[in-house]
Structure formats: structure tokens, C-alpha cells
Amino acid sequence: MKQTRKLLGDLLVEEELITPEQLKVVLNEKSPNQKLGEALLQKGFISEQQLIEVLEYQLGVPHISLIQYPFETNLFTLIPKETAKRNLIIPLKKEGNKLFVAMADPMDFIVIDDLRLSTGFQIEPAIATKDDILRTINKYYNIDDGLEELLDELPQNERGRTDDITDQDSPIVKLVNQIMTSAVLQKASDIHVDPQETKIVVRYRVDGVLRVDRTLPKSMQNVLTARIKIMSNLDITEHRIPQDGRIKLNLDFHPVDLRVSTLPTVYGEKIVMRLLDMGSTLNDLNKLGFNTLNMKRFNQMIEQPTGIVLITGPTGSGKSSTLYAALNKMNSDEVNIITVEDPVEYQLEGINQVQVNTNVGMTFAAGLRSILRQDPNIIMVGEIRDKETAEIAVRASLTGHLVLSTLHTNDSLGTVTRLIDMGVEPFLLAATLSGIVAQRLVRKVCRDCMEEHEPSKREIEIFARRGMKIEKIIRGKGCASCNMTGYKGRVALHEVLVINDDIRRVIMNGENFQKLREIAIKNKTIFLIDDGLLKVKQGLTTTEEVLRVAILE
């Protein structure tokens, strides 16, 4: 077998999963101690499932899914948690003198030898995905220790609580860390801690959809809330008013920033933690899912020296990511970029970011006024919430600045009426507005379990109504990689409205909304629903996802 074994790169090229050029690029760019498979995954050239299938064929090692595997939990004592995490291994079962182990890298013979020596068993490796192994380690190792220990200690807990919630080895600290680690592993965007009448429910928002992760006994509510508040520097004695804080953590050498918000409810304080992944690569405009025409139009808007560019959509539609990516693109030593945000989500190097603080009178409007004295070229206002902020933003763009901001509206055309409704003079709006981008996020079909399907009669009708044809639809079957949902990751849908002279005339004359729509159609504006259906045709998402966020007209 050893003489016939081919190199992984050659196998992937042979299977036509990557091109020889891609292999060359990765081999040149990867660090010396990084494995080829890992480097290819990082670049997004192949999916983890494709890599595993090739390894399975190359090594003759079986591939295993851990999502519903009947583990023999007593075997977890054979491999300590640290070893399992460091080497990405998990014990599966024992047969005679053989120990079956799932590994992310079954070619790591040093780890196999170490295991053989430490356990005394013959090691039989199987392949599993890295995420699958990490999720399992987090789920089974020490999961109940902290809980049981904590429940035993609860009566005394009321006495020495401060020590318990700050001591790194105390069960409550372990439990909170575990909740956070699990959220990061599942790539959740938010953690919800919901107090209910008889229990506490912990939910994660993954790819825009909330799902229950665990249920905890009601008796743990006080210590859990106190621990999270201490981590985010909040007042643990105050339970009657909402509070906001921040937590900075290093989870497995990975920096994570959490924005914490508490809200008093009838059953106690509800806590929501928004995870801001500092290692996230959303600073590149090309990775945000703009189609070619929209990308060209958006670039033209932000390359203008003056004017207002607005990004609109509901909470959690990726507005901030698009804004930061645009700022990142324009960021250079020749321009002075100043932002005023509430709160500052991501810190960008070379950009002056100002935090809103209403307690001391530092509002968007006050911040904007001061910024104008700081000789800026580009100004980013986190959100236009009132007439005062809108007017200063308009004046700033009239005096030779490029202003970027966000607004909560349903679509690009509705933004114009919303600003006029706010009290901005139509002639000023017409003179300053350069363009509006409306956006939504939809879940992407999981690459590892995608299958082709015939479109349904209803889907053919939907496409026909927008003047398109559809031959096949891609859906996810559900696998370990996507937690049986059929979706993994998200992609943005965009509606880019360029404000040209015709639209300016309509705004100034106060003509009706329908006229704006007619001009937008004439200018070949791709509406949200159209961009969504184009992404369904490309196999990126499904019709259900698009209709969940966009209205079919």
C-alpha cells in the first residue's frame, strides 16, 4: 500500500476538485508546518467533506459522522480533554484490545503512537471533521461535572457567592465558559439566556435562526446572571434597569469580543450576548456576495469624493459588515476617516472611531458636529436615528465629505420616503444622496450535503413572474457539518439603487413613490427578490430562504 499511495494534492487534482494552479498557489503560500488539507480549506478551494472523502479513499480509513453516534462515555477517561482538544481526537468504542478513535488527521502517526502507549490499546483510526470533533468534545467532556457540582453547592452559594463567581476553577465559571466556547464552535452570532417560570433556556442564533442549546434549573439563575455581569463589568446589584457591557475573551487562542445586553423581564433578567469574531475575514468587499453589476455600482458610489451612501435593512442584516468592508477598502494614509458609532463593533486600524455616550451628551448629532472640525475626508455615522443627525449628515456631504451611514428601512426606495418623513428637505436630499444599498442575509446551502432537485410548480411560477427560468434547485440533505439543517454559513442579497438625475427630479418635485419605482426598473436595478432568485440559480441558497426575507411583488 505504501508504494502506491499518492500525494493528497495530486489526488485532489485527479478528482478535479482543485486545479493544478490552485494547488501551486496553496503550496507556495502555506506556512511550513501547516497541513495541505488545512490550507486548502482556509482558501475555500474545497469543503471539509470533499477532503475527507479523498482521505478516506487515499488511506482506506473509514469516515464517521459523530452527530448521533452512540458514544461509550466511560472511554472518555482514557483520553484527557486537553489531549483530545489539542490533537482533535475522540474515542468511539472498544473491541477486545482495539480502541476505535475518530481523528481529524488519521495520518498523524505520532499521535497514534502516543495513544497506543498511554492507553495500552491497538489504535484503529477513523476520519471525522474538525468541527464535529470539537463539538463532541465540548458536549461530552465535563459537561455535567460543572452542573452537578454547582447544584450541590447552591445552598452555600448564596453565602460565598463573590468568590465562587470569580474563582476560575468554580463550577459556574466553567459552565459560563463552556456556553461561550460552544457558541463559538457552532459559529453562533448571539447567545440568548432566557429566564422562564421554572427554568432557564440557553439558545444560540446560528445562521440567523435561533435554536435551544440547553435548559438549566431555575435555581442557577442568580449565579449565572451574576457571573456574566461580572465578566462584562456591569452592576450586579441592579436588576431593575437594562444594562450594556462588553466581554473580551481568548477562547482556545482565538480572540472573541462579546457585546452584552441585559433586560429585566417578569422572570428575571434576560441576557443577550452578541459575538463579534475578531478573527473574522468580513473586511473584504469581494467576499460579501455582491453580483458583478451591483459590485460595480457600489464601488462607483464609494469612490465619489462627496455625497451620502446609505445601507439599509433590519437588525442583523449585515449592514455593519458591508460598511466596515467599504471603509477597509478606502482606508489609506492619504485620507482621514472618522466614524461615530453606537457601539464601536470592530476596531479598524488607521480609522478614528468615536463611541456614542448619551449619558454625557455624546450623541450621533453632537459627535458629527465635532467631527466636521477634524478635517475629515470620509465620515461614517453608525445610524441615522433622528432629524438632527440626518440634517448634519446632509450638510456634511454638501461641504465636500463622503458620508456613509445605515438606516432601518425595508427597501432602497422606501429610504427616500423615510428621510423626507424624518424632516429632511427634498431639495437637500436630492442634492446629496448618491446611492442606497438595501440588504438581507440568507442561509447558504451546505456544501457537504447539497443535492440537485427538480423545481416545484410554485418555484417555476415564482421565477417566471420575475422573468427567469429555473431548471434545477440545490438543497442540503442535512449532515454533521451543518448540524442536520442543510444550511451552513450566510450570504447577502443586495438591492443597489443609484440616484441619477431622473430620480433627483422626482424627489425634488415630490412626485409619488410609483414614479421612483418606474425609473429604478428602467435603470436595470436588481431588486432584493431578483438578487435572491439569481443566487438560487447559482445553487447558493433556496427559494424558501429568499422568500423569508424578500417580498415577491
Side-chain angles (χ1 to χ4, degrees), residues 427-489:
F427 69 92
L428 286 175
L429 194 59
T432 53
L433 206 52
S434 304
I436 302 162
V437 180
Q439 80 171 52
R440 298 286 187 284
L441 290 177
V442 288
R443 292 184 290 170
K444 274 162 83 175
V445 174
C446 173
R447 277 175 67 174
D448 295 339
C449 59
M450 53 163 66
E451 295 178 329
E452 277 190 19
H453 288 270
E454 286 282 312
S456 68
K457 200 168 157 211
R458 168 94 177 115
E459 282 173 323
I460 294 169
E461 272 173 30
I462 289 168
F463 275 83
R465 270 174 72 177
R466 305 302 299 178
M468 294 185 221
K469 274 188 181 159
I470 181 80
E471 262 112 59
K472 62 176 196 299
I473 297 271
I474 306 284
R475 290 185 200 290
K477 192 172 69 192
C479 63
S481 173
C482 62
N483 223 341
M484 303 311 285
T485 58
Y487 297 102
K488 192 174 185 188

Side-chain angles (χ1 to χ4, degrees), residues 135 138-139 143 175-194 201-216 251 258 270-273 275 483:
R135 204 182 300 131
N138 206 48
K139 187 174 173 187
I143 175 86
L175 179 71
V176 172
N177 288 352
Q178 197 182 64
I179 288 172
M180 291 174 181
T181 309
S182 185
V184 171
L185 285 178
Q186 292 187 38
K187 299 192 168 53
S189 59
D190 302 84
I191 306 169
H192 288 240
V193 180
D194 295 328
V201 178
V202 178
R203 295 185 293 170
Y204 294 150
R205 189 180 289 283
V206 180
D207 292 338
V209 179
L210 272 172
R211 53 170 181 258
V212 175
D213 180 68
R214 63 186 83 188
T215 306
L216 301 170
L251 291 173
L258 292 106
K270 173 177 165 67
I271 298 174
V272 176
M273 293 176 266
L275 276 91
N483 223 341

Side-chain angles (χ1 to χ4, degrees), residues 491-524:
V491 66
L493 309 183
H494 299 99
E495 177 175 303
V496 179
L497 179 73
V498 180
I499 306 292
N500 62 4
D501 291 342
D502 291 342
I503 292 182
R504 287 199 171 93
R505 207 169 300 116
V506 171
I507 295 172
M508 279 173 75
N509 298 341
E511 289 179 47
N512 69 6
F513 188 76
Q514 197 49 41
K515 196 90 174 105
L516 279 177
R517 193 171 182 79
E518 284 163 19
I519 298 169
I521 292 167
K522 201 174 85 184
N523 292 345
K524 294 190 168 55

Side-chain angles (χ1 to χ4, degrees), residues 148-383:
E148 281 164 20
E149 217 178 310
L150 188 62
L151 291 172
D152 293 344
E153 283 182 18
L154 267 178
Q156 303 101 45
N157 232 323
E158 301 311 311
R159 291 201 296 273
R161 201 163 76 187
T162 343
D163 303 333
D164 287 331
I165 51 186
T166 51
D167 174 15
Q168 286 308 308
D169 292 325
S170 82
I172 186 66
V173 171
K174 284 183 189 164
L175 179 71
V176 172
N177 288 352
Q178 197 182 64
I179 288 172
M180 291 174 181
T181 309
S182 185
V184 171
L185 285 178
Q186 292 187 38
K187 299 192 168 53
S189 59
D190 302 84
I191 306 169
H192 288 240
V193 180
D194 295 328
Q196 294 182 2
E197 193 171 1
T198 54
K199 57 184 189 254
I200 309 163
V201 178
V202 178
R203 295 185 293 170
Y204 294 150
R205 189 180 289 283
V206 180
D207 292 338
V209 179
L210 272 172
R211 53 170 181 258
V212 175
D213 180 68
R214 63 186 83 188
T215 306
L216 301 170
K218 184 74 173 171
S219 52
M220 289 173 62
Q221 186 172 323
N222 292 344
V223 270
L224 186 67
T225 308
R227 173 63 195 156
I228 295 170
K229 281 182 159 187
I230 277 181
M231 290 175 84
S232 29
N233 290 325
L234 299 178
D235 180 358
I236 62 168
T237 59
E238 182 56 80
H239 309 291
R240 296 158 304 173
I241 56 168
Q243 296 185 64
D244 290 309
R246 243 191 146 120
I247 303 175
K248 278 199 168 166
L249 284 178
N250 248 347
L251 291 173
D252 298 332
F253 316 108
H254 189 75
V256 178
D257 206 348
L258 292 106
R259 231 169 62 202
V260 183
S261 163
T262 73
L263 182 74
T265 70
V266 283
Y267 296 124
E269 287 175 281
K270 173 177 165 67
I271 298 174
V272 176
M273 293 176 266
R274 161 71 54 96
L275 276 91
L276 303 167
D277 187 349
M278 293 295 122
S280 144
T281 50
L282 272 184
N283 302 348
D284 188 349
L285 264 184
N286 302 317
K287 290 183 182 165
L288 294 181
F290 275 100
N291 70 36
T292 335
L293 178 66
N294 281 345
M295 187 67 177
K296 188 177 148 203
R297 287 178 169 178
F298 185 60
N299 276 327
Q300 281 168 351
M301 286 178 200
I302 61 174
E303 279 160 10
Q304 290 178 9
T306 64
I308 298 178
V309 177
L310 293 172
I311 300 182
T312 74
T315 312
S317 58
K319 300 187 296 289
S320 302
S321 299
T322 308
L323 270 184
Y324 282 122
L327 289 177
N328 218 29
K329 185 177 183 200
M330 299 183 286
N331 189 6
S332 72
D333 292 341
E334 288 87 56
V335 291
N336 177 18
I337 303 178
I338 307 182
T339 77
V340 51
E341 304 168 62
D342 178 22
V344 172
E345 286 188 21
Y346 296 96
Q347 274 125 19
L348 298 176
E349 210 174 313
I351 289 178
N352 311 291
Q353 293 169 281
V354 178
Q355 168 86 41
V356 165
N357 185 350
T358 42
N359 297 340
V360 292
M362 178 62 174
T363 59
F364 277 122
L368 247 176
R369 273 198 201 95
S370 318
I371 285 174
L372 291 173
R373 297 184 209 117
Q374 290 277 325
D375 179 33
N377 300 85
I378 298 163
I379 300 168
M380 190 268 260
V381 185
E383 192 187 330

